[in-house]
């Protein structure tokens, strides 16, 4: 989505400022819908308001990595974003700013989408069906985030929720939420275009990819294989693997054939540290970057989300994805002709010697005026390599090892790694390992470990029966009048 269209709908900052109610947009009866949704432009402005709420994607990058074996929280000190340090150590509970932000951001996106559906019959115009399909796909995306973080969640469809109803709105079973996710995506994929006429707009390929992912996360392997196989075989969007993995995450290589579902960012300021959700830029990038760094290629930042030695060592010999994923800073500096002149600082929140080399600030990619907050690096929610690996997993789990090897080896061939020829459980584990090699640093690792039952073996402090889900923020339980129960063992 071009950020020149960025528009904060009526309820832009309700989530963190004037209103302290999770499911309500504004105090009851303050919305003047009679003066809105009367023109095509009103609907276009409204859908941009829904796109806007995908931009706090830095939360997924941070939590999906830091909660896993891939990263530590880092930062200036253990009190710097304490919630991330608690997530790293698996000591997080119902009071956690980052987890509360996840819930509120996603429900804000749902509320904005539902506001459109609440008023969808007020006006007909060419292209309205595409706007509604975009809203359905984004609503599915927001609910997908919520069920994977928190499990059962209140399901509100096609309307906003009055503040007076909140205390009587129970958590909806996760299976029912997934039914709505599937329904929204199945409808959206039939309406959205194969290719967008504006960079960043959603496509049928993006909807199919997210549907395949939602099915995979529910262990509906045969259904996921059918959806993802159709996407790969038809490939109406012209998707493909970018040739040079080492530069794939450079700003100059954005919106390429590998990008299936991407959240767009720009180098404009937007918000500030008091409102990270207001930013136009990708906040993760500045936070990931090297503290007080002074040297070539990279710019300084805040040393968050630091890759672990375990991740670095997991890569096979000769795999170029290792250095493209985890920057070994001291090794990089030693290779420079002016190594003695290059300096950086170590934060008190932990140091591994590695930095996230996918979402990191480079000297020629800085925004203005505060380049810690204004990175133009897009967030790739789903890229083509992920589609191929999800398909490989779905085919293998549904009994088609041959097709699974085909899709897996496409990903390995791109980085000149030898083909995998195994079958059965060995092939399955190779696919899961490949997801780590290919996708680390992008926010998927924790959820992959949980859904495949490997989290307890890989994550220090992980307790089976507890940490598969994050806790419901206690303040939201209180605001809901105690109708919402806390997740087990929190």
């Amino acid at each position: 989505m071009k950020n020149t269209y960025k528009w904060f709908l009526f309820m832009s900052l309700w989530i963190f400022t004037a209103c302290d109610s999770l499911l309500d947009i504004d105090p009851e009866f303050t919305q003047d819908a009679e003066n809105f949704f009367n023109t095509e432009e009103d609907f276009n402005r409204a859908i941009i308001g829904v796109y806007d709420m995908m931009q706090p994607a830095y939360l997924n990058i941070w939590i999906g990595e830091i909660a896993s074996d891939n990263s530590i929280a880092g930062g200036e000190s253990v009190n710097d974003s304490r919630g991330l340090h608690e997530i790293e150590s698996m000591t997080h509970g119902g009071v956690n700013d980052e987890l509360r932000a996840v819930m509120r951001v996603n429900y804000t996106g749902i509320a904005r989408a539902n506001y459109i559906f609440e008023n969808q019959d007020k006006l007909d115009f060419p292209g309205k069906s595409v706007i509604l399909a975009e809203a359905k796909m984004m609503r599915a995306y927001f609910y997908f985030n919520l069920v994977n973080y928190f499990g059962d969640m209140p399901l509100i469809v096609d309307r906003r929720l009055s503040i007076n109803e909140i205390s009587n709105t129970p958590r909806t079973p996760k299976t029912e939420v997934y039914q709505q996710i599937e329904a929204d995506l199945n409808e959206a994929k039939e309406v959205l275009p194969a290719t967008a006429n504006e960079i960043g707009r959603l496509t049928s390929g993006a909807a199919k990819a997210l549907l395949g992912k939602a099915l995979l996360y529910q262990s509906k392997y045969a259904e996921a294989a059918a959806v993802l196989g159709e996407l790969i075989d038809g490939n109406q969007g012209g998707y493909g693997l970018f040739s040079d993995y080492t530069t794939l995450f450079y700003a100059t290589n954005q919106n390429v054939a590998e990008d299936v579902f991407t959240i767009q960012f720009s180098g404009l300021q937007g918000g500030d540290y008091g409102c990270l959700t207001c930013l136009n830029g990708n906040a993760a990038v500045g936070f990931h970057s090297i503290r007080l760094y002074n040297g070539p290629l990279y710019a300084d930042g805040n040393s968050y989300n630091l890759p672990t030695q375990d991740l670095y060592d997991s890569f096979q010999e000769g795999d170029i994805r290792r250095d493209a994923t985890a920057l070994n800073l001291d090794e990089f500096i030693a290779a420079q002709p002016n190594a003695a002149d290059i300096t950086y600082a170590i934060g008190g929140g932990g140091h591994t010697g590695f930095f996230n080399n996918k979402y990191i600030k480079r000297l020629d990619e800085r925004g203005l005026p505060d380049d810690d907050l204004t990175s133009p690096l897009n967030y790739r929610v789903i890229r083509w390599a992920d589609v191929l690996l999800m398909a490989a997993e779905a085919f293998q789990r549904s009994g088609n090892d041959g097709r699974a090897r085909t899709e897996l080896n496409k990903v390995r061939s791109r980085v000149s790694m030898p083909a995998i020829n195994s079958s059965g459980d060995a092939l399955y584990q190779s696919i899961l390992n490949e997801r780590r090699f290919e996708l680390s640093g992008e926010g998927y690792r924790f959820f992959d470990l949980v859904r495949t039952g490997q989290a307890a073996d890989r994550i220090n402090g992980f307790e089976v029966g507890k940490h598969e889900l994050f806790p419901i923020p206690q303040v939201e339980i209180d605001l809901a009048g105690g109708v919402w129960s806390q997740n087990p063992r929190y």
Side-chain angles (χ1 to χ4, degrees):
M1 206 66 223
K2 291 182 179 178
N3 283 286
T4 54
Y5 285 91
K6 187 176 177 72
W7 178 66
F8 294 96
L9 201 53
F10 299 126
M11 57 294 216
S12 282
L13 302 183
W14 71 272
I15 195 167
F16 294 114
T17 54
C19 184
D20 201 29
S21 169
L22 174 62
L23 301 179
D24 188 49
I25 297 174
D26 278 325
E28 195 172 13
F29 307 126
T30 63
Q31 295 291 332
D32 186 8
E34 292 301 318
N35 295 321
F36 201 69
F37 292 109
N38 293 321
T39 68
E40 179 179 351
E41 178 59 23
D42 287 344
F43 278 85
N44 283 321
R45 292 170 65 198
I47 198 63
I48 301 309
V50 187
Y51 273 97
D52 185 58
M53 289 316 301
M54 294 197 295
Q55 289 197 320
Y58 63 88
L59 293 164
N60 287 344
I61 303 176
W62 288 351
I63 296 172
E65 297 296 310
I66 291 168
S68 78
D69 52 351
N70 273 359
S71 293
I72 68 168
E76 183 176 2
S77 72
V78 295
N79 294 315
D80 184 20
S81 296
R82 178 183 291 274
L84 294 177
H85 287 273
E86 293 171 351
I87 289 170
E88 174 198 333
S89 62
M90 291 285 122
T91 59
H92 49 277
V95 180
N96 186 292
D97 290 343
E98 283 71 27
L99 294 176
R100 191 184 188 205
V102 168
M103 183 173 289
R104 295 169 74 82
V105 160
N106 283 285
Y107 265 120
T108 303
I110 291 165
R112 293 186 181 192
N114 283 348
Y115 194 41
I116 294 174
F117 290 115
E118 188 177 315
N119 293 277
Q120 63 182 311
D121 296 328
K122 291 187 66 176
L123 183 72
D124 285 321
F125 56 89
K128 187 177 83 168
S129 62
V130 174
I131 287 177
L132 296 179
E134 290 175 300
K136 286 178 180 178
M137 179 176 169
M138 284 186 280
R139 182 169 65 188
Y141 168 72
F142 296 131
Y143 271 125
F144 179 77
N145 286 335
L146 288 169
V147 296
N148 280 291
Y149 274 91
F150 304 111
D152 301 346
M153 282 272 86
L155 178 63
I156 305 101
V157 179
D158 294 352
R159 67 184 182 91
R160 292 164 296 157
L161 190 65
S162 163
I163 192 170
N164 293 331
E165 296 177 79
I166 293 175
S167 61
N168 297 315
T169 303
R171 295 172 67 184
T172 305
K174 181 177 178 178
T175 55
E176 293 182 28
V177 181
Y178 262 121
Q179 288 173 8
Q180 183 63 47
I181 291 169
E182 291 180 34
D184 277 346
L185 293 173
N186 274 310
E187 293 177 23
K189 71 182 178 63
E190 298 302 321
V191 177
L192 291 171
T195 57
N197 59 8
E198 184 179 9
I199 292 175
R201 298 298 285 247
L202 297 174
T203 63
S204 58
K208 291 175 183 176
L210 185 56
L211 175 59
K213 185 171 186 175
L215 293 167
L216 187 67
Y217 271 52
Q218 298 174 82
S219 300
K220 295 182 177 180
Y221 299 118
E223 294 177 57
V227 170
L228 295 168
E230 176 188 344
L231 174 58
I232 293 167
D233 295 339
N235 198 6
Q236 294 178 327
Y239 303 114
L241 297 173
F242 187 74
S243 59
D244 183 8
Y245 189 93
T246 63
T247 62
L248 175 59
F249 284 84
Y250 283 32
T252 55
N253 294 326
Q254 300 192 129
N255 299 312
V256 293
E258 182 140 354
D259 296 330
V260 180
F261 177 12
T262 301
I263 297 172
Q264 303 288 310
F265 290 98
S266 81
L268 302 177
Q269 184 78 28
D272 54 29
Y273 284 98
C275 187
L276 294 182
T277 60
C278 305
L279 298 177
N280 290 307
N282 188 341
V285 175
F287 277 80
H288 290 172
S289 298
I290 308 163
R291 184 170 294 273
L292 298 180
Y293 176 79
N294 184 16
L297 187 59
Y298 299 104
D300 75 304
N302 299 310
S303 65
Y304 276 68
N305 195 8
L306 303 175
T308 61
Q309 186 75 50
D310 180 80
L311 171 60
Y312 189 80
D313 292 343
S314 71
F315 287 89
Q316 297 168 284
E317 186 68 29
D319 193 336
I320 61 173
R321 293 174 296 188
R322 183 192 69 180
D323 293 339
T325 299
L327 168 67
N328 185 329
L329 183 58
D330 288 340
E331 184 177 276
F332 169 80
I333 290 174
Q336 305 307 309
N338 61 330
D341 299 326
I342 300 172
T343 58
Y344 70 93
I346 294 174
H351 180 67
T352 65
F354 304 103
F355 291 81
N356 187 329
N357 212 9
K358 292 180 175 178
Y359 293 104
I360 193 170
K361 194 195 307 182
R362 296 179 175 88
L363 286 171
D364 60 350
E365 296 177 352
R366 292 176 295 175
L368 294 173
D370 185 344
D371 63 14
D372 271 355
L373 303 175
T374 53
S375 170
L377 275 178
N378 296 338
Y379 177 56
R380 289 170 161 121
V381 182
I382 302 177
R383 54 188 177 88
W384 192 242
D386 192 6
V387 170
L388 298 177
L389 291 175
M390 288 192 294
E393 183 180 343
F395 279 117
Q396 197 287 318
R397 293 283 88 182
S398 57
N400 190 341
D401 281 4
R403 181 67 188 268
R405 284 190 294 268
T406 295
E407 305 309 333
L408 168 63
N409 287 325
K410 288 177 183 176
V411 176
R412 290 180 63 79
S413 177
R414 190 253 296 268
V415 290
S416 301
M417 295 303 291
I420 297 293
N421 297 309
S422 57
S423 300
D425 287 341
L427 174 58
Y428 176 56
Q429 190 58 53
S430 291
I431 294 168
L432 299 186
N433 289 339
E434 198 69 23
R435 287 190 63 80
R436 192 183 196 194
F437 304 147
E438 178 70 26
L439 302 170
S440 285
E442 301 177 45
Y444 314 128
R445 176 65 172 172
F446 174 78
F447 302 101
D448 276 348
L449 290 173
V450 167
R451 69 181 180 81
T452 58
Q454 299 185 347
D457 294 331
R458 298 297 309 165
I459 301 172
N460 291 332
F462 186 95
E463 298 179 25
V464 175
K466 177 180 180 180
H467 289 129
E468 290 86 353
L469 296 174
F470 291 100
I472 302 294
Q474 184 60 45
V475 67
E476 308 301 353
I477 293 176
D478 296 341
L479 287 169
V483 171
W484 298 357
S485 60
Q486 183 55 277
N487 280 330
R489 300 175 58 190
Y490 282 106

